[in-house]
Amino acid sequence: MKKMKKQAVSLLLVLAMVLATVTGCGNNSGVSSDNSKNTTKDKKTEDTNKKETTTKVTNRTPAGKLVIGQNTDLTGDFMTGWTNGAADMDVRRLTQEYGTVVRTRDGSMQLNNTVVKKLDTKENSDKSKTFTYTINKGLKYSDGTEITAKDFVFYLLLNSCKAFGDSEADITMYTVFDGYNDFSTGKKKEFKGVRLLGDDQFSVTISAKELPDYYDMARTAASPYPISVYLPGVDVKDDGNGAYFTKDVTKAMIKKTIEKERYNPTIFSGAYTIKDYNKSAGTVTLEANTNYAGNYEGQKAQIKTLVIKKYNDDTAIDELKTGNVDLLISAGGGDVVNAGLDLADKGEYKYNNYYRNGFGKVVFTCDLGPTQFVKVRQAIAYLLDRTEFASQYTGGYGTVVNSNYGLAQWMYTDMKDKVDKELNTYAYNVDKAKELLVSDGWTLNKDGKEFKEGKDDVRYKKVDGKLMPLEIQWANTANNPVSDLLSTMLPDNMKKVGMKLKPTTLDWGVLTNNVLRQGIDKPVYNMYNMASEYGDIPSYEMEANPDKAYGGLYNENWINDKELFQLAKDLKATESTDREGYDAKWLKYIKRWNELLPSLPLYSNEFYDFYNKKLQNYSATSVYSYSYDIIYSYVK
């Protein structure tokens, strides 16, 4: 009875979160509108220092220690461009900051008042749009070195240059900038759309063909990188035709210096510095950065030491009770949530909860083996009772989603009724799965003869003149309740239709390398169980882009569908003031995604953060997670 009462309270709180999210959506739309106002044909200047803050800022002298438990592994990859898992991303967010455009507490994007003194925007005669940033003086790295406009330009150049891409890093962040193709391929040394204009000023230009763009200003965001640390002996200059490196940057140079900073960073621009990363223990220790000027509201770290570690669901609450962990992040399974609520009932512990800004899923590889075929992916969906899966995994603190969205997204809250009505739910149906497989040509046995139910175990199909077995190579991780549930619910149902699941357990880092195909010569796996968390800017057009440059990091499914890609591009090319138009295009996109099923959504759950009473003023949400919020907190 007690558990049922807790779930009822939970649903009420979720309703409150939905309403709060809707309010946030309005603000998000408003920021987009502001972007449009700042990009009219006439040049306009915005003095960001005159903006009012939205949160009360109280900067205490950093003191105390907080141990934070996360439910994902640390891989030790803390640099932009490569494989940042959720835990690594949080560390990066805490230690590398000073972005020019940042996420705020309501989930919207705005100029970072601490970094940007003013922003000038201008629509050029060729219909391109230039954003000129003037940076505040006095910003410093953790070692006391002054930050200038050159550091931001270096970041832009590095994350777009050929040598960085040749090092298996992502160089697609700034494809919208004028001259990107010439610079990223090495055809020209200058990046035409990136200008270094002075010690405190730089500009970027979005090319006309990339406009309009619903998130135009947010796409110009840059952070500072110390060139003397990352590429000693190299400088950044601009003679009037675009910024450039003073020396040819090679893959060998990247490997020698940047990859060292990638795993063992020594200089920081965020609220914290990395004091120690213990790979074998899976922990990272952070110390408050005394040279940090604050986030967009001027808030600085108030807790001196943060220790971040992974927790397992079966021991999480015990670790909280014994003091091995002070704060448990993103608890989503029913067992952990109910145990945490029991603990909170006793009055010694607190919690806050929020809808997840993402969803758990099975990721299919859409260019390899049986899962390259849409009907196979659809058949797998029909073979899994996702309603039961979500119920068992979340314990009633979550629900099924049917496409590429999370319950906390503003687009979903806008379009909920249509989404819930118009998308295929793929309700559990073994006969439907079998029907799809037969219609797709999976009608043969291993000898190439007709598949006989009750006699043959695995279906085959002729592909490019060869027999392909209906075997799904599944990569998963150990001590993972999602993996455990899939292992229980899928194999027998697959067997009923002549499909075979072949599981392999990998370390998280190895699994993600396979998804990204980094260091992988020959891909093997058709299916992974993972999760999506939505970033500051939706990347739908990158996720659907068939170009291999986007494969893995963005297009994790390696899918090539012209219609999906066009719908994603149409969505991006929405005027920043046209919220209704964006919603309508988004619905078309997720309906096509629902048909293709590049991934199979499993659940979007309600997260709980549990913590002891030593932590004060903690208020993370789905769109402002602990790695944003923790600097507002302190310990007593």
Side-chain angles (χ1 to χ4, degrees):
M1 190 73 175
K2 188 176 185 180
K3 185 179 290 187
M4 290 179 65
K5 181 179 179 182
K6 285 177 181 172
Q7 291 185 14
V9 171
S10 169
L11 291 174
L12 290 174
L13 289 172
V14 167
L15 178 59
M17 285 304 300
V18 171
L19 294 174
T21 303
V22 173
T23 303
C25 292
N27 290 337
N28 191 21
S29 178
V31 168
S32 297
S33 254
D34 287 343
N35 289 353
S36 176
K37 291 176 183 177
N38 291 337
T39 54
T40 55
K41 292 185 178 180
D42 295 325
K43 186 174 178 181
K44 182 173 180 177
T45 299
E46 180 176 352
D47 186 343
T48 64
N49 291 323
K50 293 181 180 179
K51 279 192 172 184
E52 294 182 359
T53 60
T54 58
T55 306
K56 184 178 180 180
V57 174
T58 305
N59 283 312
R60 296 171 173 81
T61 301
K65 174 181 175 181
L66 191 77
V67 180
I68 301 169
Q70 287 199 328
N71 55 9
T72 55
D73 292 290
L74 284 161
T75 68
D77 198 337
F78 303 129
M79 185 175 174
T80 298
W82 284 284
T83 313
N84 300 126
D88 301 308
M89 182 74 77
D90 284 329
V91 172
R92 198 182 85 196
R93 194 175 287 137
L94 286 162
T95 59
Q96 304 292 349
E97 218 255 318
Y98 286 153
T100 53
V101 183
V102 294
R103 180 184 293 194
T104 64
R105 185 169 292 279
D106 66 6
S108 61
M109 301 295 290
Q110 77 166 49
L111 292 174
N112 186 342
N113 301 352
T114 301
V115 174
V116 182
K117 183 177 182 180
K118 66 178 180 178
L119 171 64
D120 298 329
T121 59
K122 182 181 180 181
E123 186 173 312
N124 303 307
S125 58
D126 64 354
K127 303 301 181 182
S128 64
K129 189 178 296 183
T130 298
F131 298 73
T132 301
Y133 287 93
T134 302
I135 302 302
N136 284 318
K137 295 181 179 180
L139 300 174
K140 295 180 180 179
Y141 290 111
S142 55
D143 67 348
T145 303
E146 186 178 356
I147 294 172
T148 68
K150 184 179 291 187
D151 297 276
F152 292 88
V153 172
F154 172 58
Y155 178 93
L156 295 166
L157 295 183
L158 177 66
N159 281 285
S160 306
C161 76
K162 185 177 185 299
F164 203 48
D166 290 342
S167 303
E168 295 188 324
D170 170 47
I171 59 169
T172 60
M173 274 198 294
Y174 299 115
T175 58
V176 298
F177 289 176
D178 200 11
Y180 169 82
N181 288 334
D182 285 344
F183 180 76
S184 65
T185 58
K187 185 177 179 180
K188 290 188 177 180
K189 73 172 185 177
E190 298 95 351
F191 197 158
K192 180 182 177 183
V194 177
R195 299 294 314 281
L196 177 61
L197 304 174
D199 289 341
D200 64 346
Q201 196 173 75
F202 70 95
S203 71
V204 296
T205 298
I206 297 180
S207 64
K209 68 179 182 179
E210 299 291 344
L211 296 168
D213 185 334
Y214 196 74
Y215 290 97
D216 56 2
M217 186 183 76
R219 293 190 195 278
T220 69
S223 298
Y225 269 1
I227 188 170
S228 62
V229 174
Y230 284 11
L231 289 176
V234 178
D235 200 359
V236 170
K237 289 188 176 182
D238 189 327
D239 301 328
N241 298 315
Y244 63 91
F245 294 123
T246 56
K247 291 183 179 180
D248 288 337
V249 176
T250 65
K251 183 178 177 180
M253 294 167 66
I254 299 285
K255 184 175 181 62
K256 181 179 179 180
T257 57
I258 293 181
E259 288 201 1
K260 180 181 177 182
E261 285 292 316
R262 173 182 173 187
Y263 298 107
N264 297 286
T266 59
I267 190 166
F268 309 92
S269 57
Y272 285 88
T273 65
I274 297 177
K275 182 180 180 182
D276 177 67
Y277 168 59
N278 188 322
K279 184 176 182 179
S280 59
T283 63
V284 62
T285 302
L286 309 181
E287 292 283 348
N289 178 4
T290 56
N291 280 314
Y292 181 58
N295 71 351
Y296 73 102
E297 295 184 317
Q299 182 65 57
K300 304 176 184 179
Q302 301 179 98
I303 301 172
K304 183 177 181 180
T305 305
L306 300 180
V307 178
I308 301 170
K309 57 185 285 190
K310 184 186 177 183
Y311 68 81
N312 293 320
D313 283 0
D314 54 353
T315 61
I317 299 303
D318 286 336
E319 289 201 69
L320 186 63
K321 287 193 292 187
T322 59
N324 288 333
V325 170
D326 300 307
L327 169 63
L328 287 177
I329 298 297
S330 303
D335 291 343
V336 179
V337 170
N338 282 315
L341 291 175
D342 283 337
L343 204 60
D345 282 347
K346 298 176 182 178
E348 293 300 315
Y349 298 86
K350 298 181 179 180
Y351 69 89
N352 65 312
N353 59 321
Y354 44 87
Y355 264 151
R356 182 179 195 163
N357 194 31
F359 59 93
K361 61 185 176 181
V362 166
V363 174
F364 295 122
T365 306
C366 298
D367 68 344
L368 178 70
T371 53
Q372 69 184 278
F373 301 102
V374 174
K375 289 186 178 181
V376 171
R377 302 196 296 267
Q378 291 175 337
I380 294 173
Y382 280 114
L383 291 171
L384 181 64
D385 188 340
R386 293 187 299 138
T387 300
E388 179 63 22
F389 183 98
S391 176
Q392 286 194 37
Y393 176 69
T394 69
Y397 301 101
T399 188
V400 175
V401 295
N402 294 306
S403 189
N404 189 6
Y405 63 88
L407 300 180
Q409 281 192 291
W410 62 266
M411 298 83 83
Y412 174 71
T413 60
D414 280 0
M415 304 295 285
K416 180 181 184 303
D417 290 343
K418 289 187 177 181
V419 170
D420 294 346
K421 179 181 178 181
E422 297 180 19
L423 267 59
N424 187 347
T425 62
Y426 293 95
Y428 176 62
N429 190 328
V430 175
D431 291 337
K432 181 65 175 177
K434 187 186 302 182
E435 177 187 318
L436 283 167
L437 294 174
V438 171
S439 69
D440 200 42
W442 299 92
T443 57
L444 306 176
N445 63 16
K446 64 180 179 180
D447 298 317
K449 298 180 180 180
E450 183 183 356
F451 178 86
K452 299 290 186 181
E453 291 188 39
K455 178 182 178 182
D456 298 316
D457 294 327
V458 178
R459 292 178 181 271
Y460 284 73
K461 173 181 178 176
K462 268 198 173 182
V463 180
D464 296 330
K466 297 180 180 179
L467 286 174
M468 177 183 289
L470 190 53
E471 295 178 341
I472 309 300
Q473 300 288 344
W474 170 38
N476 58 71
T477 55
N479 301 315
N480 186 327
V482 173
S483 300
D484 295 341
L485 262 180
L486 289 172
S487 294
T488 300
M489 298 180 71
L490 262 183
D492 287 345
N493 288 337
M494 286 184 165
K495 188 175 181 180
K496 292 176 184 177
V497 299
M499 187 183 298
K500 186 175 183 179
L501 187 65
K502 302 186 74 174
T504 301
T505 300
L506 304 174
D507 290 335
W508 173 247
V510 177
L511 186 148
T512 53
N513 283 340
N514 275 272
V515 174
L516 298 168
R517 298 183 183 175
Q518 291 183 351
I520 305 298
D521 296 326
K522 188 176 180 180
V524 174
Y525 302 106
N526 313 112
M527 180 175 124
Y528 310 84
N529 51 288
M530 303 179 72
S532 286
E533 305 297 335
Y534 293 103
D536 298 331
I537 310 172
S539 55
Y540 300 124
E541 77 284 355
M542 294 183 178
E543 294 169 19
N545 194 322
D547 190 309
K548 289 184 178 181
Y550 294 86
L553 190 61
Y554 292 104
N555 186 351
E556 64 186 2
N557 307 100
W558 300 85
I559 191 169
N560 185 349
D561 183 79
K562 292 181 179 179
E563 182 180 347
L564 185 71
F565 186 33
Q566 187 60 53
L567 288 170
K569 289 192 292 184
D570 290 345
L571 180 60
K572 172 181 173 290
T574 306
E575 292 286 355
S576 57
T577 54
D578 187 9
R579 182 186 177 113
E580 288 186 4
Y582 191 91
D583 279 341
K585 293 177 182 179
W586 177 81
L587 182 62
K588 290 180 181 179
Y589 167 80
I590 66 164
K591 286 176 70 174
R592 178 60 177 169
W593 197 98
N594 170 258
E595 178 187 350
L596 296 173
L597 281 188
S599 293
L600 177 61
L602 298 175
Y603 58 88
S604 186
N605 47 338
E606 182 187 358
F607 276 156
Y608 282 73
D609 295 347
F610 295 103
Y611 54 98
N612 56 35
K613 284 189 173 181
K614 71 183 281 186
L615 180 60
Q616 302 291 307
N617 200 37
Y618 179 72
S619 56
T621 69
S622 59
V623 295
Y624 208 69
S625 65
Y626 95 88
S627 54
Y628 292 106
D629 180 75
I630 199 67
I631 60 176
Y632 292 90
S633 302
Y634 60 96
V635 295
K636 68 173 185 178

